[in-house]
Amino acid sequence: MSKEAPPPAARATIRDVAREAGVSVTTVSHALNGKGTASEETRRKVLAVAERLAYRAHPMARGLRRGRTGVLGLDMRPLDAIGSYIPEGVDYFVRFAGAAAVTALDHGLGLMLVPDLTRSDVSRAALGVDGYVIGDPTRDDPVLTRLLDASVPVVAVGRDPGRPDFTDWVGTDDARETERMLDLLRSRGARRVAFLAGTDDNAWNVDAELAYREWTARHAMPARILRVPEAAGEDGGRDAARRLLTGAGERPDAVHCQTGRHASGVLAEALRLGVAVPDDLLVTAGSDAQQTRIASPAITALDLAPEESGRAAVELLIARLNGEPADGPVVIPARLHVRASTGPA
Amino acid sequence: MSKEAPPPAARATIRDVAREAGVSVTTVSHALNGKGTASEETRRKVLAVAERLAYRAHPMARGLRRGRTGVLGLDMRPLDAIGSYIPEGVDYFVRFAGAAAVTALDHGLGLMLVPDLTRSDVSRAALGVDGYVIGDPTRDDPVLTRLLDASVPVVAVGRDPGRPDFTDWVGTDDARETERMLDLLRSRGARRVAFLAGTDDNAWNVDAELAYREWTARHAMPARILRVPEAAGEDGGRDAARRLLTGAGERPDAVHCQTGRHASGVLAEALRLGVAVPDDLLVTAGSDAQQTRIASPAITALDLAPEESGRAAVELLIARLNGEPADGPVVIPARLHVRASTGPA
DNA sequence: TACCACGCACAAAACGTTTTGGAAAATGGA
DNA sequence: TCCATTTTCCAAAACGTTTTGTGCGTGGTA
């Protein structure tokens, strides 16, 4: 190490700034955080020096003092299920996480990926995180329970069906969006619409199914509901299609599937069975995914706007952290991508 | 607030443990970290008390003292390109990030998502992160340069083609794996193999292309190379297929595409043009993706083992942070998924 | 007995902030 | 000129660790 070279990453401390500006560290802190009462002149001087020295408060020191880490945790369930199966909605996850991370950073915060909290011990859960964003809570979600019990700020993506009082969530209005999709099917001539839901007991499945029931009743249509595990993917969709199309009873002329993978499986199996899509059968999906875009014909689907959800979730969490008043659930409108699986435009 | 209820989350501090165990904080710290000289008896007593109080060192305090934050940064380029286009390899990303996050947590560290560092200012880059994992560096990668200049520990996924001295990377042996794939094509009868690369100047493209050139020369085959931007996706693949299949010159009997989306586009366009796959044309991909699995026929592809790369990258970075000696690049073997696009098994 | 080495435990300093509680200087009013 | 404010600044105390240096017994050796 040559004595000539400046020590490489000698980070400037608040003391350096204070010395250089000829004021106390208190004043520097105040000037930088807009807290105390300092003359405009002093403030400007401090800002200038801080700028010149490229000073940034050491995140640890600040965190220690403020009792905040400046990091948000993101717990989307699929994360540590990866490896065991290819999860539905990988592109949902990436788009959501990307937007969340960018939004957090825009607020000077980091976004930490946290594997399923139900599996890791509680202590870890507290691992230096100011608050959590958790994805798609199931009814009376255990992770949510744990975090709320520990009074850790938390925002969910989608409501917890068993916890009507918990309003810190962000998501789509699944009932309304489902109706929208069903209306589209009806306008395209469908009169016997089957519904293929997942088995996870979350609001997304629950609300869509309820909407479907009400919608079929309203239109005096038969209700035909199948439930297939999300993890069953395309194969699950294929099985369901076989049951729907070759089984007893009147054949549906449309199938609305919650997941894109199920829809993709239904489509493939229908084609294999010689049922033409969209001529003999309309197929739609409650969530957009690579599968729905790639399928041939491409599948009409609801785009759940993960980018906007990610941004909104982080912003809501930050509002919580700042003790701002509750502004209830944030509803993100979905986009309806009409594609070939529901007939010509 | 009732005085009866215990303060909800009164985290136990090292002082509590010390008091309870009847020793000094120094001794507690030493016992817990296995540092100082303490009698076995004292150590056990401290451990027991710490366990009972569910004590965990406050990450900020520890970080402040140790000069480490306990958080690793993950910078995969696609992240903040999201929104502008649906990136290739979203499932690669999720699987990689998931494995990386789990591995980090197993070591008591967090994994933070960081959008492209080239766009954010430097100061942010230092945002409380001990080291970085960056994905797929391009030649003389600017992010890598910046981090190395700031002597921030960093591990790359894939080597930097312009930086042979930098060996802290993890990834597949793209030359060898490409050869393996080409050999497969040859064994299935292909004699005029075209190669469709991406345009990013990273090792993955560079090494595969070089391997292709050498392989064709070795086997006295004509070399036909097309380059299509990664972001062009399926459409890019379609265009390329049109050029290859309808243009002048002898028609290739196989196409190897680096990205799954390109391969998917090539396949679709070939079928549209009446070129049967695998009968008249074999199609393969250099990276597995949803597209290759879903396509019909499914496309033979290299699975770049993102889970293992993610784990290895984090472990290498941790070794670096602990000042352990360099153990060069870590090569992860790819898996070759042979599917219908290269003929019957 | 005197000295040394060693095992064990501790007090205090340090890490870089923010915040508290004043104190000095400036201002205004009488 | 003097007192009461107000403005402007600061020293010192926290935050919860880890680390450094030191002291105190105890047993062995000269």
Side-chain angles (χ1 to χ4, degrees):
Chain A
M1 304 241 184
S2 110
K3 289 276 181 187
E4 314 304 317
R11 178 178 196 136
T13 123
I14 196 174
R15 243 177 286 271
D16 298 329
V17 178
R19 184 168 4 87
E20 202 77 7
V23 298
S24 74
V25 293
T26 309
T27 305
V28 175
S29 176
H30 282 162
L32 258 36
N33 298 315
K35 281 285 176 61
T37 64
S39 70
E40 198 47 44
E41 190 195 339
T42 312
R43 196 180 299 274
R44 261 201 305 274
K45 187 172 56 184
V46 170
L47 265 322
V49 172
E51 171 76 15
R52 184 158 57 76
L53 299 186
Y55 166 79
R56 305 287 150 165
H58 191 298
M60 301 276 100
R62 154 175 294 176
L64 177 58
R65 183 60 237 224
R66 287 218 249 224
R68 290 241 206 125
T69 67
V71 179
L72 310 179
L74 174 63
D75 175 20
M76 309 280 279
R77 296 328 144 67
L79 243 198
D80 57 351
I82 291 163
S84 47
Y85 76 105
I86 310 288
E88 153 82 12
V90 288
D91 68 334
Y92 181 95
F93 174 83
V94 174
R95 293 160 70 191
F96 183 97
V102 170
T103 307
L105 230 72
D106 282 346
H107 289 263
L109 304 174
L111 186 78
M112 228 174 82
L113 252 40
V114 181
D116 196 333
L117 290 176
T118 52
R119 299 192 198 172
S120 45
D121 60 73
V122 201
S123 52
R124 261 188 182 174
L127 185 86
V129 163
D130 290 336
Y132 277 98
V133 173
I134 72 168
D136 271 324
T138 55
R139 185 180 306 274
D140 299 314
D141 194 280
V143 172
L144 205 48
T145 302
R146 176 181 300 197
L147 293 175
L148 291 175
D149 283 353
S151 61
V152 173
V154 53
V155 163
V157 182
R159 68 183 182 86
D160 181 334
R163 217 178 307 243
D165 297 340
F166 178 75
T167 58
D168 281 344
W169 58 271
V170 159
T172 43
D173 183 339
D174 299 315
R176 176 180 300 270
E177 303 294 355
T178 302
E179 277 177 35
R180 190 148 68 110
M181 184 63 102
L182 295 172
D183 285 341
L184 171 77
L185 287 174
R186 189 157 177 277
S187 77
R188 298 288 169 102
R191 289 300 176 269
R192 293 182 310 283
V193 180
F195 178 71
L196 181 47
T199 52
D200 288 349
D201 192 13
N202 56 32
W204 185 56
N205 279 322
V206 169
D207 292 352
E209 181 173 325
L210 188 59
Y212 169 80
R213 285 188 190 285
E214 291 179 359
W215 185 87
T216 48
R218 189 158 62 244
H219 292 286
M221 289 188 187
R224 179 86 190 270
I225 299 177
L226 270 69
R227 293 196 192 86
V228 174
E230 279 80 355
E234 277 88 0
D235 289 342
R238 289 191 137 88
D239 287 348
R242 227 164 300 141
R243 272 184 284 160
L244 286 171
L245 300 176
T246 68
E250 229 180 348
R251 210 170 74 183
D253 53 12
V255 183
H256 175 59
C257 310
Q258 279 293 84
T259 85
R261 300 189 72 193
H262 288 163
S264 163
V266 165
L267 174 63
E269 187 65 13
L271 296 180
R272 207 185 61 82
L273 293 171
V275 176
V277 176
D279 298 337
D280 303 334
L281 183 74
L282 307 181
V283 176
T284 57
S287 63
D288 200 21
Q290 285 192 316
Q291 285 87 352
T292 59
R293 293 186 291 267
I294 296 168
S296 172
I299 299 171
T300 293
L302 285 168
D303 182 338
L304 301 177
E307 291 88 354
E308 286 146 53
S309 295
R311 190 170 39 67
V314 166
E315 278 169 357
L316 182 55
L317 180 54
I318 290 175
R320 270 295 148 285
L321 291 173
N322 294 340
E324 289 165 21
D327 42 0
V330 178
V331 174
I332 309 288
R335 282 182 292 269
L336 179 49
H337 292 300
V338 180
R339 302 202 179 96
S341 72
T342 47
Chain B
M1 306 243 183
S2 111
K3 289 278 180 185
E4 312 306 318
R11 177 177 196 136
T13 119
I14 196 174
R15 243 176 286 272
D16 298 329
V17 178
R19 183 166 7 84
E20 202 77 7
V23 299
S24 74
V25 293
T26 308
T27 305
V28 175
S29 176
H30 281 163
L32 258 37
N33 298 316
K35 282 284 176 62
T37 64
S39 70
E40 197 47 42
E41 188 195 341
T42 311
R43 196 181 299 273
R44 261 202 304 273
K45 186 172 57 185
V46 170
L47 267 322
V49 172
E51 171 74 15
R52 183 159 58 76
L53 299 185
Y55 165 79
R56 306 286 150 167
H58 191 299
M60 302 275 99
R62 154 174 295 177
L64 177 58
R65 184 59 237 226
R66 290 221 255 233
R68 290 241 206 126
T69 68
V71 179
L72 310 180
L74 174 62
D75 176 20
M76 308 280 280
R77 293 330 142 65
L79 242 198
D80 58 352
I82 290 162
S84 47
Y85 76 105
I86 310 287
E88 153 81 13
V90 289
D91 68 335
Y92 181 95
F93 175 83
V94 175
R95 293 161 70 189
F96 183 97
V102 170
T103 307
L105 229 72
D106 282 346
H107 290 262
L109 304 174
L111 186 77
M112 227 174 83
L113 250 41
V114 181
D116 197 333
L117 290 175
T118 51
R119 300 194 198 171
S120 46
D121 60 71
V122 201
S123 51
R124 260 189 183 173
L127 186 84
V129 164
D130 291 336
Y132 277 99
V133 172
I134 72 168
D136 270 323
T138 55
R139 187 180 303 275
D140 298 314
D141 193 281
V143 172
L144 205 47
T145 303
R146 175 180 301 200
L147 292 175
L148 290 175
D149 283 352
S151 59
V152 174
V154 52
V155 163
V157 182
R159 68 183 183 87
D160 181 332
R163 217 179 308 242
D165 297 341
F166 178 76
T167 57
D168 280 346
W169 58 272
V170 158
T172 42
D173 182 341
D174 299 315
R176 176 181 300 269
E177 303 293 356
T178 302
E179 276 177 36
R180 191 147 69 111
M181 184 63 101
L182 296 172
D183 285 341
L184 172 76
L185 288 173
R186 187 155 179 276
S187 76
R188 298 287 168 104
R191 288 300 176 268
R192 293 181 309 281
V193 180
F195 179 73
L196 182 46
T199 52
D200 287 349
D201 193 13
N202 55 33
W204 185 55
N205 278 320
V206 169
D207 292 351
E209 182 173 325
L210 188 59
Y212 169 80
R213 284 189 192 284
E214 291 179 357
W215 185 87
T216 48
R218 189 159 62 245
H219 292 285
M221 290 188 188
R224 180 85 190 271
I225 298 177
L226 270 69
R227 294 196 191 84
V228 174
E230 278 80 354
E234 277 89 0
D235 289 341
R238 291 190 135 88
D239 288 348
R242 228 165 299 140
R243 271 183 285 159
L244 286 171
L245 300 176
T246 67
E250 228 180 348
R251 210 170 74 184
D253 53 12
V255 183
H256 175 59
C257 310
Q258 278 293 83
T259 85
R261 299 189 72 193
H262 288 163
S264 164
V266 166
L267 174 63
E269 187 65 14
L271 297 180
R272 206 187 61 81
L273 293 172
V275 177
V277 175
D279 298 338
D280 303 334
L281 183 75
L282 306 181
V283 176
T284 57
S287 62
D288 200 22
Q290 286 192 317
Q291 284 86 353
T292 59
R293 291 187 292 267
I294 296 168
S296 172
I299 300 171
T300 293
L302 284 169
D303 182 339
L304 300 177
E307 292 88 355
E308 285 146 53
S309 296
R311 191 169 38 69
V314 166
E315 278 168 356
L316 183 55
L317 180 54
I318 290 175
R320 271 292 150 285
L321 291 173
N322 293 339
E324 290 165 21
D327 41 3
V330 177
V331 175
I332 308 288
R335 281 182 294 267
L336 179 49
H337 293 300
V338 180
R339 302 200 180 97
S341 72
T342 46

